[in-house]
Amino acid sequence: MKLSLQSQIKLFPLNIRKDQKHYIVEEINSGDFFELPKMGVDAIRLIEKGESLEKIDLELKTKYPDSPVDLEDFVQQLLELELIQEVDGETVHIKTKDKVERDYKWIPPQVGRFFFNRLTNKIYIVLVVANILFLIMNPQLFPTYRDLFLFDAIMANILIWMGISLVLVLFHELGHILAVRSYDLPAKLGIGNRLFLVVFETDLSNAWKLRSKQRNVLFFAGICFDQLMLFIVFCLQFFFQHSHSLILGILGLIVLDIFIRTIYQCCFYMKTDLYYYFENITGCYNLMENSMQYLSKWLPFIKKDSSTETFDGEEKFVKIYSLFCLGGITLTFSLFIFYFMPQAFYAYSKTLPELLQPINNPYFWDALVFIGQSLLIAGLLLYSLIKKRMIDYSQRKVPPMT
């Protein structure tokens, strides 16, 4: 449907709130959020008042003489994003709010506030400092790739690592869920990916209902719980330092897992929790896309995206974040070189020859299960990549009205 300045339109109910630089617009029925500059918000408010598009176009050109105004194109974008309910009295689309399953509303907000309040937020900072001091004073606690291999059987090592990693990831996401519930908002847990890693992720889209400072609590909640767990494990390592080696081995594996995921948080180019924090404090909500566009000038293997656009004043943040992206890539290669590649080489060099053993040899089954686990993880990764690609294709964002 093509709109013109002679069209009469009616929007779905919108909630508009001033953010750091621009405005966050929430479509109440669907829960979708958009960022708009003041000119776009002025246009929406005039539309909600029932003003004709011709009058709105003239008023905006008078109010913003130094900015190009293309109201017809802007309204067409609103239509494509299904924000328009009626055109010339004819219903365009009836939106219904999707039912949010497993929204964790059964968790009382008071429980969330017990873990995330002014006092505990300071305690988490103290824990970070304490964990660093633990490593400085006890360098033998620093994890190595060998910490993954507790037994001769690779199957046993992988099963224990997968179980521990699953518990730790869920504990990390529990932090996000409790932080969301502390503001009495619904939370949703899903599956996604970061590079080759299959990850659980908490949907924090409802964070846009909060002020910028409040959103930071939600972004850091998972890291806070990671540091809490790491502090507990360091204390246990100190307590059981003369105990059974298996106990110390399991504790060391926990440290290794948390250490790798903490380093991974610094890989900003994968949109980690730290990325969203940096995005939030700068007020640049397309920081990743704009930085990739900026880096594509010097790195030809990065695909250019002409749909991205930088708001005024964001250029310096884009340049700074571009350096963070390059630093994150360096960290990723470091993890590959010092942890993932040695682990993979050791594991496959131990298991692949065992596939030549007789079928009644337990190490044959050890190798077979390990290869099966590898294929399962690869399948989950492929699923999450396809799902992410489909979501990215279906989602669009209203660009600034120019």
Side-chain angles (χ1 to χ4, degrees), residues 314-332:
E314 292 186 349
E315 293 83 1
K316 62 179 180 180
F317 296 115
V318 169
K319 293 179 180 179
I320 293 173
Y321 180 74
S322 298
L323 297 177
F324 286 165
C325 281
L326 295 177
I329 294 173
T330 302
L331 282 175
T332 301

Side-chain angles (χ1 to χ4, degrees), residues 128-144:
V128 173
V129 177
N131 290 334
I132 295 175
L133 291 177
F134 255 117
L135 287 176
I136 293 175
M137 299 174 64
N138 303 275
Q140 72 277 8
L141 297 180
F142 197 87
T144 67

Side-chain angles (χ1 to χ4, degrees), residues 36 39-41 43-44 47 70-79 398-401:
L36 286 178
M39 186 193 302
V41 171
I44 286 178
I47 292 173
D70 190 345
L71 183 63
E72 189 172 332
D73 180 66
F74 176 72
V75 173
Q76 186 67 36
Q77 293 164 8
L78 296 179
L79 177 65
V398 180
M401 188 172 63

Side-chain angles (χ1 to χ4, degrees), residues 108-117 119-121 123-124 178 182:
Q110 294 80 3
V111 175
R113 295 184 192 120
F114 175 81
F115 289 96
F116 295 97
N117 53 65
L119 175 60
T120 57
N121 292 342
I123 292 176
Y124 292 128
L178 290 174
S182 70

Side-chain angles (χ1 to χ4, degrees), residues 373-385:
Q373 289 174 338
S374 300
L375 293 175
L376 175 62
I377 294 174
L380 289 172
L381 174 61
L382 180 62
Y383 164 76
S384 62
L385 286 171

Side-chain angles (χ1 to χ4, degrees), residues 192 198 270 286 304 338 343 361 370:
V198 180
M270 290 190 288
N286 272 336
K304 293 184 178 181
F338 295 107
Q343 287 173 343
N361 189 311
F370 173 67

